């Protein structure tokens, strides 16, 4: 058994600290290369050192610590990449299902319901029902595409007040247009 492995097996914390100091940065560099996320990379490396400490008594006497650590970090990075791919596939599947259900709901709607002029009129009527200041802020935000800061400057009000008007406007519009929301959501998804 090499004296390095023996020192580790015996729980020599000073030796472990030296290994940590020698390999931490190179292992982080490897992990960042795989994950493109510095915080996650550091966690992977710390986990590798933790596993080394926990499994130190089970180490093969001829173990190469450097290879052990680099292999452990690489494998853990690859596992995370696989998990990310599964999550991404799942997310894409959910987005597709949502779009499919919205599309289906559109075809279940009565033809009279899907009159675009009627829809446009309903939206305009709902906007007209907004309180004066809410309507003004909403129109500046949605139709003039101004940012909250720009609206606040033009109207001489705080950004918080702008946000409050927009929140109130959207709440009122959701209530007024609740029967038309599936159609509005579907077309806003197609247009985005």
């Amino acid at each position: 058994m090499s004296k390095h492995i023996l020192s580790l097996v015996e729980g020599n914390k000073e030796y472990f600290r030296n290994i940590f100091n020698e390999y931490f940065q190179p292992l982080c560099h490897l992990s960042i290369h795989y994950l493109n996320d510095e915080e996650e990379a550091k966690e992977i490396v710390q986990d590798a050192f933790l596993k080394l400490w926990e499994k130190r008594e089970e180490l093969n006497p001829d173990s190469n610590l450097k290879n052990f650590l680099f292999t452990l970090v690489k494998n853990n990075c690859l596992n995370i990449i696989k998990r990310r791919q599964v999550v991404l596939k799942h997310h894409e599947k959910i987005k597709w299902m949502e779009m499919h259900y919205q599309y289906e709901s559109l075809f279940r709607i009565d033809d009279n319901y899907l009159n675009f002029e009627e829809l446009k009129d309903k939206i305009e009527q709902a906007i007209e029902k907004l309180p004066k200041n809410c309507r003004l802020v909403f129109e500046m935000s949605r139709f003039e595409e101004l940012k909250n800061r720009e609206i606040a400057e033009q109207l001489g009000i705080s950004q918080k007040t702008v946000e409050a008007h927009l929140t109130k406007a959207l709440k009122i519009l959701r209530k007024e247009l609740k029967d038309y929301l599936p159609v509005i959501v579907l077309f806003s998804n197609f247009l985005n």
Side-chain angles (χ1 to χ4, degrees):
M1 181 176 287
S2 79
K3 70 175 189 166
H4 300 296
I5 300 296
L6 184 60
S7 295
L8 199 55
V9 169
E10 291 173 348
N12 183 325
K13 291 180 182 174
E14 184 63 32
Y15 181 71
F16 181 77
R17 193 174 301 115
N18 290 339
I19 294 171
F20 181 88
N21 291 336
E22 183 176 352
Y23 293 116
F24 184 79
Q25 285 305 324
L27 289 168
C28 281
H29 182 73
L30 173 71
S31 188
I32 289 169
H33 175 75
Y34 278 102
L35 302 176
N36 292 320
D37 182 323
E38 190 172 344
E39 289 304 311
E40 197 170 28
K42 285 180 180 177
E43 284 181 35
I44 292 292
V45 173
Q46 289 170 351
D47 287 346
F49 279 107
L50 182 62
K51 186 164 191 145
L52 173 64
W53 183 255
E54 290 172 348
K55 302 282 185 184
R56 70 186 184 277
E57 294 174 2
E58 300 169 28
L59 287 174
N60 181 325
D62 300 320
S63 293
N64 180 321
L65 292 177
K66 179 180 178 182
N67 288 349
F68 175 82
L69 288 167
F70 275 82
T71 301
L72 191 58
V73 167
K74 182 183 92 171
N75 289 342
N76 287 343
C77 288
L78 293 175
N79 288 338
I80 285 178
I81 290 169
K82 284 178 194 169
R83 267 185 259 135
R84 284 179 183 172
Q85 289 171 340
V86 168
V87 167
L88 187 61
K89 277 184 187 175
H90 186 67
H91 181 70
E92 288 299 319
K93 185 177 178 181
I94 289 172
K95 278 176 58 178
W96 184 87
M97 286 171 50
E98 285 176 355
M99 189 70 130
H100 176 72
Y101 291 132
Q102 290 172 353
Y103 186 73
E104 272 188 359
S105 70
L106 180 62
F107 282 99
R108 290 187 190 140
I109 297 173
D110 184 352
D111 286 342
N112 295 330
Y113 184 83
L114 193 56
N115 180 328
F116 293 107
E117 282 304 314
E118 178 188 349
L119 180 59
K120 183 179 169 211
D121 289 343
K122 290 289 183 186
I123 292 171
E124 287 173 358
Q125 289 170 13
I127 292 171
E128 285 299 316
K129 289 182 180 178
L130 293 173
K132 182 181 173 188
N133 291 333
C134 272
R135 185 175 68 236
L136 178 61
V137 168
F138 179 80
E139 289 173 344
M140 291 173 82
S141 173
R142 295 307 188 262
F143 302 134
E144 296 176 32
E145 298 181 5
L146 296 176
K147 297 188 184 326
N148 290 0
R149 178 185 44 78
E150 295 169 324
I151 297 168
E153 287 172 5
Q154 284 189 25
L155 298 179
I157 58 177
S158 72
Q159 286 188 50
K160 289 284 186 196
T161 303
V162 171
E163 290 168 15
H165 282 309
L166 286 173
T167 301
K168 184 176 182 179
L170 292 172
K171 185 177 177 182
I172 293 169
L173 290 174
R174 266 190 225 103
K175 184 177 177 187
E176 288 291 322
L177 298 168
K178 69 180 181 295
D179 295 332
Y180 292 87
L181 282 179
V183 178
I184 294 168
V185 167
L186 176 66
F187 284 103
S188 67
N189 282 344
F190 279 134
L191 296 173
N192 286 342

